Amino acid sequence: MNIITPATTRQKIFRVGLVGNPNAGKTTLFNALTGARQKVGNWPGVTIEKKEGVRHYQGHDLCIVDLPGTYSLTSYTMEEVLVRDYLLGEAPDVVLQVVDGSNLERNLYLTVQLLELGLPMVIALNMFDELEGKGLRLNTPLLSSLLGCPVIPTVSSKGYGMEPLLAAVMRTAESSNAGRRYIQINYGAELEKEIGRLQEKVGEAAELEGIPGRWFAVRLLEGDQEVFLKAAPESLGNSPLHHQIETATARLNKLYPEGIETLIADRRYGFIAGALQETLSRSRANRRELSERIDRFLTHRWLGLPLFLFFLWLLFQGTFSLGAVPMGWIETGISYLSVALNNSLPAGPLADLIVDGIIGGVGGVLVFLPNILILFLGISLLEDTGYMARAAFLMDKLMHTLGLHGKSFIPLIMGFGCGVPAIMATRTLESRRDRLLTILITPLMSCSARLPVYILFAGTFFPRRAGNIIFLLYLFGVLMAIAAGKLFSLTILRAQGAPFVMELPPYRLPTLRTSLLHTWDRGSQYLRKMGTIILAAAVIVWFLGAFPRNGGQPPAAADSYIGQFGQKISPALEPLGFNWQMGVSLLTGLVAKEVVVSTMGVLYEVGSDIDAHDSGVLSSALLRAGIMPLGALAFMFFVLLYSPCLAAITAIWRETGSWRWTLFSVGYQTALAWGIAFAVVMVGKFAGYGL
Amino acid sequence: MIIRKQIIDWFSHPLIHQCKSAPPVPAEDFFGVKHSAGGGVFHKSKESEPDKHLSDCRAGDEIFIRRLLGRGPLRKRLLEMGMNPGAQVRVVKYAPLKDPLECEVKGYHLALRVSEARAIIVTPQKP
């Protein structure tokens, strides 16, 4: 049997902008609506993630854009500007706002701002079960008619309410704009007078740009500089419009000493309170929230910090110890594969390229994948349960004295394991400045790849004090991170007065689907974006090490391009007491820090299969080579501090979205490494040790 | 019994000792036991006393916002987070390192630094 469709219904594409407060369940709703049909990218010009998904419904396509979570449409964070510009510039067919039903009053503040924008809107009243669990009853139809847009109860984690929501979105998308009713907040006689005057002046021009005149006038009175620039870009300063705004704000500020902003916020909240008074009723007494009782332990005065450290330890152990198991499988698999290829391919440059260059490069990327997946599963759980905000609450005092945010703590600690996931973990920080600062100092935390170098050198040159020396290095890395963080926050990354003010969302059970999707997102992004760059870099480094050919044979390490280069730069390292072999291994160590050890093995011709625990041959070779303990100590400090490895550099580039910051990171760390190593040598010489 | 009381004392000890004369704070202690003595009640300030800031409040205090000091992003942020004049605020607790502080406003929980709470003038009665 055929389903007959009228000839007039053609498939259409409607654009839906998904907005909402952070923690309102926006991502969960987005996943519930679009499923796996998502495309992840970046917003042009900024490093904020852009997610798009398509939902096929009633023969049409709904193209849903997940906008960043915001509390308001004022324009002082990147996210808010982005959402506002998207809504005004792109004018989506429907704005779908996700409202946290358990936190109606504050969530509706954004609703009011959106309604003033006059775009067709649908509200998903999410977490409706929590609203009812709080002992509240909401008259949804009445709220809907008060706000002038459909309000659909949903529980997106359980997929409840999706069908009516889609139907409402479709109805709104298809209905014409003409019949729409704008809600208007009455801002009081005096303010309304000024709004009216301004609207007369700029309203028409604004409407031509698709911006509601009244909204525009209110923004001007609120002192929104960006909006003003849009209104009169050619006449900043002395234009009549500027003058009119000045006189109006001066007059209003005299009438309302609290300021216009306060008055406007007051009226908006007044409207919300009025609407809720009519629609929301309490069916039973409110009991103290479960979340607050959980927080009796988790942010307790004595227990809070130890519990946080315990969770952190779990995350760390999970990422690096648990991750080591599949890591081992991947390593074994790769070595089997290279042996098999080595045996089956004819010997020559091609086999070398495939085995040493490509397989080595791909292996170097794949090997981190278990770490990344476990870490992001962990972080996703921390965020989705609501604990991440508590972690920031607990650590903020400490981190703030360093010029950082409470949320910086987790990435910094992850840096002890591996800088790559640590740098990716800075995404939990909302402010770009905090993210940048954290990314810049995270590589100073001594990652696990540097440990083999310490073990070799400390074990060889300071056999009795190896443990102390290694501990000193770790501690020094932390101190340097603190110092650099403080320095940067006082100079190049001064705080832009971004307030800490942060919501502590109620504890929630995360949904498996959201956590797994999130983890998969990160994992596949890592493979795609990092993979290509690291692979290319690995091939280049392989080429530099394997050429020029010496009668068809690979050259001796000293004669290869990289060896020659290492010898060229050795004068720069001479003041530090490093020989050219050390210089070359520092260069190859850029691929991954542990490569320093295997390169030393090659250069001292004792074989590259040096195991950190079985390095006797290499140790005696180093001692024979005439390296002094002081030089070895300086070398360890240098390895601790110098440029992040290629994988980390790539991560920094991806996350900052800027070559300049990436180069800065490489440059300042290398300079710092040289300076500290030189200081170590100087102090050592002064104390009478030879180089 | 003594041990239990000692434990209650540990867990419900007021976090900030700024007003020594004030009654014991917690409305409910660690075990959920109601304390009768002045639970959560704000002690009245005299007329002549200087402005009271949110940062002067102790865990358990329930107050109203009278006005916000300063301009700029902090004020905007506080307003849009529901910390507008007239709003009722309950100070829930201070973090273990005594900064930031957690409070409840409009039915949800908000953390802000003590330095930011200093920009909020509060009053015990609805203004």
Side-chain angles (χ1 to χ4, degrees):
Chain A
M1 202 175 89
N2 275 341
I3 298 164
I4 301 157
T5 47
T8 47
T9 358
R10 282 237 214 84
Q11 184 179 337
K12 287 189 217 153
I13 299 171
F14 293 111
R15 289 163 310 129
V16 180
L18 190 62
V19 295
N21 284 185
N23 309 310
K26 203 162 54 65
T27 309
T28 318
L29 183 74
F30 180 71
N31 290 337
L33 286 178
T34 61
R37 299 176 68 188
Q38 301 182 0
K39 204 176 81 196
V40 184
N42 270 359
W43 291 93
V46 287
T47 51
I48 299 173
E49 204 171 85
K50 180 182 188 177
K51 271 195 195 166
E52 282 175 292
V54 176
R55 172 62 181 248
H56 197 69
Y57 186 75
Q58 288 181 352
H60 301 299
D61 273 340
L62 295 171
C63 179
I64 305 173
V65 177
D66 188 13
L67 293 153
T70 53
Y71 290 108
S72 137
L73 290 183
T74 48
S75 44
Y76 77 88
T77 68
M78 236 169 24
E79 285 81 2
E80 285 170 10
V81 174
L82 194 148
V83 171
R84 197 200 59 193
D85 287 354
Y86 173 84
L87 293 178
L88 287 176
E90 306 267 312
D93 297 307
V94 181
V95 176
L96 176 55
Q97 192 203 351
V98 188
V99 165
D100 175 358
S102 68
N103 188 358
L104 265 180
E105 204 170 346
R106 202 213 52 220
N107 273 251
L108 288 178
Y109 191 76
L110 179 63
T111 311
V112 169
Q113 290 185 310
L114 289 169
L115 287 170
E116 285 183 313
L117 268 180
L119 291 164
M121 203 163 121
V122 174
I123 292 175
L125 197 61
N126 204 18
M127 300 178 183
F128 198 70
D129 51 344
E130 284 187 34
L131 178 134
E132 290 180 328
K134 270 183 144 185
L136 298 170
R137 287 172 64 90
L138 183 74
N139 184 344
T140 321
L142 183 57
L143 183 65
S144 168
S145 69
L146 284 175
L147 296 175
C149 69
V151 177
I152 314 293
T154 60
V155 183
S156 55
S157 57
K158 294 174 186 148
Y160 166 80
M162 293 305 120
E163 191 59 34
L165 183 66
L166 284 167
V169 168
M170 192 57 80
R171 260 200 321 276
T172 310
E174 286 191 313
S175 69
S176 71
N177 263 1
R180 202 178 314 124
R181 191 167 65 84
Y182 291 80
I183 65 145
Q184 271 194 12
I185 308 274
N186 186 343
Y187 288 113
E190 294 301 327
L191 195 55
E192 285 296 334
K193 214 190 288 173
E194 298 296 348
I195 293 173
R197 276 187 207 151
L198 270 174
Q199 204 179 337
E200 227 166 78
K201 192 141 195 171
V202 296
E204 216 166 297
E207 307 272 358
L208 281 179
E209 299 271 320
I211 304 169
R214 183 179 160 82
W215 179 84
F216 194 68
V218 174
R219 298 298 303 145
L220 287 175
L221 286 174
E222 276 184 285
D224 189 329
Q225 291 290 332
E226 264 187 66
V227 162
F228 181 80
L229 284 174
K230 274 195 184 127
E234 72 289 342
S235 57
L236 242 192
N238 275 331
S239 70
L241 176 62
H242 188 263
H243 183 71
Q244 186 181 348
I245 296 168
E246 292 267 283
T247 21
T249 44
R251 196 175 71 86
L252 290 169
N253 275 326
K254 206 178 275 173
L255 281 170
Y256 308 105
E258 292 298 307
I260 303 169
E261 284 167 0
T262 313
L263 182 72
I264 291 174
D266 218 46
R267 289 291 175 150
R268 284 180 183 152
Y269 274 118
F271 172 82
I272 294 165
L276 288 181
Q277 193 159 24
E278 279 185 56
T279 55
L280 199 63
S281 58
R282 200 166 280 283
S283 61
R284 59 186 153 84
N286 194 7
R287 60 192 162 82
R288 191 126 292 175
E289 284 172 74
L290 180 64
S291 288
E292 206 175 316
R293 273 183 283 159
I294 296 175
D295 266 342
R296 292 252 169 88
F297 294 95
L298 293 187
T299 60
H300 184 268
R301 193 153 62 114
W302 303 119
L303 296 178
L305 286 171
L307 280 172
F308 169 64
L309 291 179
F310 171 70
F311 291 133
L312 204 65
W313 178 82
L314 271 186
L315 185 67
F316 197 87
Q317 287 294 320
T319 305
F320 296 109
S321 303
L322 204 64
V325 179
M327 222 168 158
W329 300 338
I330 293 175
E331 275 172 351
T332 319
I334 288 167
S335 65
Y336 272 124
L337 186 64
S338 27
V339 169
L341 280 174
N342 241 343
N343 292 339
S344 57
L345 289 171
L350 181 69
D352 285 357
L353 171 68
I354 293 175
V355 174
D356 295 339
I358 297 177
I359 304 273
V362 172
V365 174
L366 268 182
V367 107
F368 286 124
L369 189 63
N371 287 345
I372 304 255
L373 289 179
I374 297 173
L375 176 73
F376 276 103
L377 184 64
I379 286 186
S380 155
L381 289 177
L382 287 181
E383 284 203 311
D384 295 347
T385 50
Y387 186 71
M388 191 63 99
R390 270 75 181 184
F393 180 68
L394 292 169
M395 294 310 299
D396 186 67
K397 167 87 176 186
L398 195 66
M399 302 311 286
H400 189 49
T401 52
L402 311 178
L404 291 162
H405 188 277
K407 285 187 184 171
S408 308
F409 193 74
I410 287 179
L412 284 177
I413 293 297
M414 301 318 291
F416 282 128
C418 172
V420 175
I423 289 162
M424 288 171 80
T426 58
R427 289 189 183 183
T428 53
L429 287 150
E430 282 105 25
S431 125
R432 175 166 169 79
R433 179 246 169 213
D434 291 337
R435 274 194 70 189
L436 255 178
L437 190 53
T438 313
I439 288 173
L440 285 180
I441 65 173
T442 296
L444 295 176
M445 314 300 276
S446 186
C447 71
S448 57
R450 283 170 247 189
L451 191 59
V453 185
Y454 306 154
I455 291 176
L456 172 66
F457 275 79
T460 304
F461 294 95
F462 307 92
R464 292 218 189 123
R465 266 168 287 169
N468 287 347
I469 298 268
I470 293 175
F471 177 73
L472 178 80
L473 286 164
Y474 272 86
L475 189 68
F476 192 76
V478 175
L479 290 177
M480 277 294 115
I482 292 174
K486 194 79 197 160
L487 182 72
F488 293 152
S489 68
L490 288 176
T491 53
I492 48 173
L493 284 172
R494 239 174 295 184
Q496 294 134 1
F500 173 76
V501 184
M502 177 186 71
E503 181 180 1
L504 295 171
Y507 288 108
R508 292 184 174 122
L509 273 180
T511 59
L512 190 65
R513 184 190 169 83
T514 303
S515 297
L516 289 183
L517 263 176
H518 185 86
T519 309
W520 171 241
D521 244 33
R522 292 283 174 269
S524 56
Q525 260 185 55
Y526 168 76
L527 282 185
R528 261 183 289 126
K529 293 179 176 168
M530 310 275 297
T532 44
I533 295 167
I534 296 173
L535 178 61
V539 169
I540 291 171
V541 170
W542 165 82
F543 172 81
L544 292 177
F547 285 85
R549 290 277 149 168
N550 180 9
Q553 289 300 306
D559 301 330
S560 67
Y561 289 122
I562 205 163
Q564 290 172 24
F565 187 64
Q567 291 171 59
K568 285 232 177 66
I569 61 160
S570 67
L573 297 173
E574 227 166 61
L576 312 177
F578 301 171
N579 56 28
W580 70 265
Q581 287 96 333
M582 287 158 111
V584 171
S585 47
L586 285 174
L587 276 181
T588 55
L590 283 176
V591 177
K593 298 267 168 108
E594 67 265 36
V595 173
V596 168
V597 175
S598 55
T599 307
M600 290 250 157
V602 173
L603 294 179
Y604 285 108
E605 283 159 15
V606 292
S608 65
D609 295 331
I610 298 297
D611 193 308
H613 304 288
D614 178 33
S615 51
V617 202
L618 184 53
S619 286
S620 40
L622 289 176
L623 287 170
R624 261 194 323 252
I627 300 168
M628 299 299 280
L630 184 57
L633 189 64
F635 187 72
M636 284 189 280
F637 273 101
F638 199 91
V639 170
L640 165 69
L641 299 170
Y642 87 116
S643 166
C645 68
L646 268 176
I649 293 174
T650 315
I652 293 171
W653 178 56
R654 296 292 341 168
E655 297 301 316
T656 58
S658 139
W659 270 115
R660 273 200 230 160
W661 281 114
T662 312
L663 287 177
F664 176 76
S665 175
V666 170
Y668 102 83
Q669 281 188 235
T670 307
L672 182 70
W674 199 94
I676 294 293
F678 189 67
V680 167
V681 167
M682 282 291 115
V683 170
K685 270 188 181 163
F686 186 74
Y689 294 97
L691 191 62
Chain B
M1 208 49 209
I2 292 167
I3 295 172
R4 186 168 183 269
K5 190 175 178 305
Q6 182 59 58
I7 294 173
I8 291 175
D9 267 6
W10 285 342
F11 282 112
S12 59
H13 201 263
L15 296 177
I16 293 279
H17 313 260
Q18 277 177 340
C19 333
K20 287 235 166 79
S21 60
V25 163
E28 227 174 276
D29 67 27
F30 188 77
F31 294 101
V33 178
K34 285 266 185 213
H35 283 247
S36 51
V41 177
F42 188 90
H43 53 107
K44 275 189 184 168
S45 56
K46 286 166 216 145
E47 296 282 313
S48 59
E49 263 180 47
D51 284 341
K52 183 164 174 131
H53 303 255
L54 183 62
S55 52
D56 301 329
C57 293
R58 310 192 314 169
D61 282 357
E62 286 187 31
I63 33 76
F64 294 89
I65 294 180
R66 209 171 73 202
R67 61 195 172 91
L68 305 177
L69 302 176
R71 303 249 175 252
L74 176 63
R75 182 198 193 86
K76 268 202 172 122
R77 179 78 170 198
L78 287 173
L79 286 173
E80 68 197 29
M81 297 302 273
M83 302 286 274
N84 54 322
Q88 188 177 15
V89 176
R90 178 170 64 95
V91 180
V92 178
K93 65 168 67 162
Y94 284 77
L97 302 172
K98 301 198 193 310
D99 190 9
L101 64 93
E102 175 185 352
C103 57
E104 190 185 349
V105 62
K106 297 203 181 352
Y108 82 102
H109 289 245
L110 188 71
L112 59 165
R113 288 187 181 136
V114 170
S115 61
E116 293 164 346
R118 208 162 287 138
I120 302 170
I121 307 282
V122 297
T123 153
Q125 261 88 42
K126 197 168 173 61

